[in-house]
Amino acid sequence: MNKWVWALVAVAGAIAWYLLLPPQSVTLSTSSTDEAPIRGAIHVHTRRSDGTGTVDDVAAAARRAGLQFVIFTDHGDGTRGSDTPVYRYGVLCIDAVEISTNGGHVVALDLPQSEFPLAGELADVLEDVRRMGAMSIAAHPVSPRAELRWNDWNAAFDGIEWLNGDSQWRDEGWGTLGRALFTYPFRRAATLVTLLDRPDDLLNRWDTMIREKSVVTVAAADAHARVGPGGDPYGRSLSVHLPSYEQVFRALSISLPRVQLHGNAAEDAGVVLDAIRNGRVFSTIDALASPAKFTFTATSGAHQAVMGERLSLDGPVVLRVETNGPDGSTIRLLSEGKAVASGALPILEYTAPSKPAAYRVEIESPGAPGSPAVPWLLSNPIYVGSETPPETSSRAAPIAQTVAVYSNGPAADWRVEKSVRSEGTIGVAKSVDGTQLLLRYGLGGTLSESPYVAAVVASSSDLATFTGIVFTARAMQPMRLTFQLRASGAADRRWGRSVYVDNMARTVTIPFDEMLPLGAATGRPMLEDVRDLLFVVDTVHAKQGSSGQVWLDEIRYVR
């Protein structure tokens, strides 16, 4: 009798196990005459930062998963420089970087080596990335972890991760995570997909953005092949190498239509990055179904555009979507976040009004996981009509009055403050029109000592009657200089704003109400309490151990 009981228990357990297993990926049919888009993964970490695999390990995993390219984004500040693109195991390996800021993480693509660390305020890093000709992508912008979440949606970034493989599972309940641990050994990529949801709020925000400007979106692997206590991938001592790179790559990917790779790594990397930068990329959840075929076009009169492009208006707009998605799937054509047309596979056509708009596509697959369900495929937009001019602030009010803080003459009122093992001097140097302040600095000590050198002068007693400060600055080499206001009292209350300087003199205006709190300060500057003005060089924006010179002139309060 006991044998029969145990047999029934075993059968019931096997049935329960089978019912808990997520569906296997559907293999989609493709026409032999069609050219399949190349597939790849973006946002991947190796042992160079907080991943567990080498570049070779990751490339081998990508090949097993059927990918043609991988974009590595190890954490850094841009000073290391990117490795030269190379093919490994037949996979194109492209180096990029993930930069940490005070307002979120930035994935920078095609970034040349920076002469100074990219760090600090989000807006400053984005400004530097753009100035150097690179593309900026908001990494895991809605992460459940507050320290990783994006905090400035008005910032000038080029793209967002609409889906992030390392963030999606973090808001799941213990029941869902327990089931995933149970089924992962048997259907690994499919199990990872059960942790995905459609990020409604983020997609709604993106739909708002693309009404006025081009913003590229990608599904990011954010693969580390490591998870530690509490889900933290950063601790190396207590962690397991799950989920593996290969299974993350099998779960989701990005695809580049009309892109061909020819074996020259440098040229092919340029083509891949150009396609992503211009929005000629779509995302798929491959553990649901693959390989995906997808075309999205728009025509108006004699004009035609594909995904990522802008269509000139010449009469009615005809949008056409064609795909080989899973049986029972629905094509949804959206504009301003709302479906303007939907229909069954394989083709959807829609005639739109002849007016500016942005259109994108989602394909819903039956049985897709999540609440709401994650789309099997998500495209970038086609932008119809002339580009909406970016919003500009009203013309700045003319400066009614300036009062000199320094304008020619000695530096008698100035002093240097510095960390213990740093060195600095403040003096004057001759210029065409007289003299300038000259700050010499050398940043010594370890990073834990927060090396800095600052030129300091007492503020005016009537500082609260002014609205900002203007000054001219240049430096020996490209860097960021931080202007700070420091309040009196025992607490370290400061407000700051960094500015880019190089060997060409430039005039900078900093409104006081745009300065950000530092130290124990909160909110906007309390000008009545400010006792000092500081021009600071530190290791947030300069290399540890570096030295140089900064020239300052025509420092004036403005109102």
Side-chain angles (χ1 to χ4, degrees):
M1 183 68 177
N2 287 338
K3 292 182 180 180
W4 286 107
V5 171
W6 285 112
L8 289 172
V9 169
V11 170
I15 293 173
W17 168 79
Y18 181 79
L19 293 175
L20 287 174
L21 285 177
Q24 290 182 326
S25 175
V26 175
T27 300
L28 300 173
S29 62
T30 57
S31 168
S32 59
T33 59
D34 292 337
E35 186 176 310
I38 66 167
R39 295 172 50 240
I42 186 171
H43 197 156
V44 178
H45 297 276
T46 71
R47 288 181 184 174
R48 295 177 299 183
S49 59
D50 55 350
T52 59
T54 64
V55 172
D56 276 345
D57 294 335
V58 174
R63 180 182 177 90
R64 293 193 298 272
L67 303 187
Q68 285 78 47
F69 67 90
V70 172
I71 299 177
F72 296 87
T73 56
D74 282 302
H75 296 276
D77 59 12
T79 58
R80 178 179 71 86
S82 299
D83 290 347
T84 302
V86 64
Y87 275 96
R88 298 178 185 269
Y89 297 97
V91 175
L92 176 62
C93 297
I94 302 172
D95 211 21
V97 63
E98 182 178 359
I99 302 167
S100 299
T101 81
N102 295 344
H105 289 195
V106 177
V107 167
L109 304 184
D110 205 16
L111 182 74
Q113 185 172 2
S114 177
E115 297 189 62
F116 60 95
L118 305 182
E121 295 301 324
L122 173 61
D124 297 339
V125 171
L126 292 172
E127 177 187 303
D128 292 333
V129 168
R130 176 159 293 191
R131 188 185 57 256
M132 290 189 280
M135 179 186 185
S136 59
I137 298 175
H140 37 68
V142 291
S143 172
R145 299 178 63 182
E147 67 271 24
L148 302 181
R149 198 176 305 140
W150 200 259
N151 74 0
D152 186 359
W153 292 103
N154 294 317
F157 54 92
D158 303 310
I160 59 171
E161 294 177 352
W162 76 272
L163 201 65
N164 179 281
D166 188 54
S167 294
Q168 280 274 317
W169 63 271
R170 294 180 182 275
D171 59 357
E172 299 295 333
W174 286 110
T176 302
L177 294 175
R179 174 178 173 176
L181 287 172
F182 180 66
T183 61
Y184 179 80
F186 308 100
R187 290 187 183 168
R188 290 167 286 182
T191 293
L192 297 180
V193 169
T194 64
L195 305 176
L196 302 181
D197 299 274
R198 184 183 190 277
D200 265 343
D201 291 344
L202 179 59
L203 290 177
N204 289 339
R205 189 182 292 275
W206 179 49
D207 283 321
T208 299
M209 293 179 204
I210 60 178
R211 295 175 190 174
E212 299 184 356
K213 60 181 179 179
S214 299
V215 180
V216 177
T217 193
V218 293
D222 202 359
H224 301 79
R226 165 186 283 124
V227 64
D232 186 359
Y234 299 94
R236 293 181 180 271
S237 57
L238 296 173
S239 62
V240 291
H241 295 187
L242 294 174
S244 71
Y245 291 111
E246 179 180 347
Q247 300 311 319
V248 173
F249 296 160
R250 290 184 182 277
L252 56 89
S253 68
I254 58 174
S255 295
L256 311 179
R258 302 185 180 186
V259 169
Q260 294 182 336
L261 303 180
H262 300 287
N264 182 306
E267 293 180 2
D268 290 347
V271 171
V272 167
L273 294 174
D274 182 69
I276 296 172
R277 185 189 289 263
N278 288 286
R280 297 191 295 270
V281 53
F282 65 87
S283 308
T284 50
I285 310 303
D286 301 299
L288 293 178
S290 68
K293 302 293 291 297
F294 175 76
T295 59
F296 179 29
T297 61
T299 57
S300 179
H303 304 291
Q304 186 177 62
V306 298
M307 182 175 56
E309 295 181 344
R310 187 168 296 276
L311 177 71
S312 298
L313 286 171
D314 184 20
V317 177
V318 178
L319 297 120
R320 188 178 192 276
V321 180
E322 183 172 1
T323 183
N324 66 334
D327 290 342
S329 295
T330 301
I331 303 171
R332 298 177 70 234
L333 181 67
L334 297 96
S335 181
E336 298 188 358
K338 299 177 182 178
V340 296
S342 62
L345 307 183
I347 295 172
L348 175 69
E349 287 193 353
Y350 172 71
T351 300
S354 180
K355 65 179 184 178
Y359 295 92
R360 63 179 185 85
V361 175
E362 290 184 17
I363 298 179
E364 298 175 342
S365 174
S371 180
V374 67
W376 167 66
L377 183 150
L378 186 140
S379 80
N380 269 282
I382 292 177
Y383 302 90
V384 172
S386 59
E387 185 171 5
T388 303
E391 291 186 6
T392 56
S393 58
S394 58
R395 187 181 182 89
I399 296 173
Q401 183 181 6
T402 67
V403 174
V405 178
Y406 177 84
S407 180
N408 204 8
D413 297 331
W414 290 77
R415 67 185 188 275
V416 164
E417 295 182 8
K418 63 184 184 65
S419 54
V420 175
R421 292 200 281 171
S422 296
E423 297 295 340
T425 63
I426 183 72
V428 295
K430 291 183 178 181
S431 67
V432 174
D433 300 324
T435 61
Q436 299 175 327
L437 292 175
L438 175 57
L439 173 66
R440 292 185 171 92
Y441 67 88
L443 301 179
T446 64
L447 287 176
S448 62
E449 296 174 274
S450 301
Y452 78 94
V453 174
V456 186
V457 69
S459 64
S460 171
S461 59
D462 61 347
L463 182 68
T465 66
F466 296 95
T467 58
I469 194 164
V470 61
F471 57 89
T472 299
R474 66 183 178 94
M476 285 182 61
Q477 62 274 324
M479 60 179 291
R480 276 194 171 269
L481 177 72
T482 304
F483 171 71
Q484 296 182 6
L485 301 173
R486 182 169 60 196
S488 58
D492 177 28
R493 292 186 299 149
R494 291 171 292 119
W495 295 265
R497 188 83 244 183
S498 80
V499 296
Y500 172 77
V501 294
D502 56 22
N503 59 8
M504 298 292 292
R506 63 189 65 209
T507 300
V508 178
T509 301
I510 299 178
F512 290 146
D513 64 2
E514 291 184 5
M515 298 182 69
L516 302 173
L518 303 172
T522 58
R524 299 301 183 189
M526 301 181 67
L527 299 178
E528 313 80 30
D529 296 342
V530 170
R531 74 167 188 270
D532 292 315
L533 313 180
L534 299 87
F535 292 85
V536 182
V537 180
D538 59 24
T539 49
V540 175
H541 298 115
K543 293 181 181 179
Q544 179 188 11
S546 64
S547 61
Q549 300 179 121
V550 177
W551 290 263
L552 298 166
D553 201 3
E554 292 301 324
I555 306 171
R556 295 178 176 272
Y557 299 123
V558 298
R559 61 161 67 99

